[in-house]
């Protein structure tokens, strides 16, 4: 239960930071969509790489901090960091083919699912107009 609390606290913190990054970009650079998302994703991946390397090889930090930072904070800040970590794990295992299959499937199916979600809402909206 402690891990769930730490992940939730980290996730909330990461999400709040992402929101502040969006506000700062809008305030100082104007709304430069999708630069805010690009910045968050790249920064999150950089932090994920640094932290994973530190956790795995350099310092023996406990699992609580790992849950808070990697799963919670960076998960809330950007899920793209988790995607990058998964790809890295495939490469570390020498499974290059599955690493690139994972990229293709993740990107393609995520975008496809997004469009399906939009389509579902449009169909339901039309159905509600017809029914009412």
């Amino acid at each position: 239960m402690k891990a769930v609390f730490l992940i939730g606290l980290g996730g909330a913190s990461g999400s709040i930071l992402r929101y502040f990054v969006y506000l700062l970009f809008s305030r100082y650079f104007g709304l430069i969509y999708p630069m805010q998302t690009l910045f968050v994703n790249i920064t999150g991946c950089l932090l994920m790489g640094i932290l994973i390397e530190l956790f795995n090889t350099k310092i023996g930090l406990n699992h609580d901090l790992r849950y808070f930072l990697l799963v919670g904070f960076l998960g809330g800040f950007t899920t793209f960091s988790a995607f990058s970590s998964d790809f890295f794990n495939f490469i570390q295992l020498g499974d290059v083919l599955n690493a690139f299959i994972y990229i293709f499937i993740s990107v393609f199916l995520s975008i496809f699912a997004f469009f399906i979600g939009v389509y579902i809402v449009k169909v339901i909206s039309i159905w509600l107009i017809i029914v009412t």
Side-chain angles (χ1 to χ4, degrees):
M1 199 61 174
K2 182 180 175 184
V4 171
F5 174 75
L6 291 169
I7 291 167
L9 183 63
S13 302
S15 295
I16 291 168
L17 180 59
R18 180 178 58 220
Y19 174 71
F20 284 141
V21 167
Y22 277 58
L23 289 179
L24 288 171
F25 263 77
S26 295
R27 181 174 184 182
Y28 293 108
F29 304 111
L31 188 59
I32 319 171
Y33 179 80
M35 290 301 158
Q36 302 96 322
T37 303
L38 187 61
F39 177 81
V40 164
N41 284 337
I42 291 170
T43 303
C45 290
L46 174 67
L47 290 172
M48 180 67 85
I50 289 169
L51 291 172
I52 284 178
E53 185 64 14
L54 287 174
F55 278 116
N56 289 342
T57 61
K58 304 297 179 204
I59 52 179
L61 295 177
N62 64 31
H63 285 301
D64 292 344
L65 193 56
R66 180 182 284 254
Y67 290 138
F68 176 80
L69 290 174
L70 298 181
V71 180
F73 182 78
L74 289 177
F77 189 59
T78 171
T79 57
F80 202 78
S81 59
F83 168 77
S84 298
S85 175
D86 293 340
F87 174 78
F88 176 77
N89 288 334
F90 275 120
I91 296 297
Q92 286 289 95
L93 295 171
D95 198 353
V96 176
L97 177 61
N98 278 327
F100 285 96
I101 289 171
Y102 177 68
I103 287 175
F104 176 77
I105 290 173
S106 295
V107 172
F108 177 76
L109 289 182
S110 295
I111 293 170
F112 182 70
F114 178 87
F115 279 97
I116 293 296
V118 169
Y119 177 76
I120 288 169
V121 171
K122 287 183 179 187
V123 168
I124 291 172
S125 296
I126 291 170
W127 181 78
L128 287 175
I129 291 171
I130 293 171
V131 170
T132 56

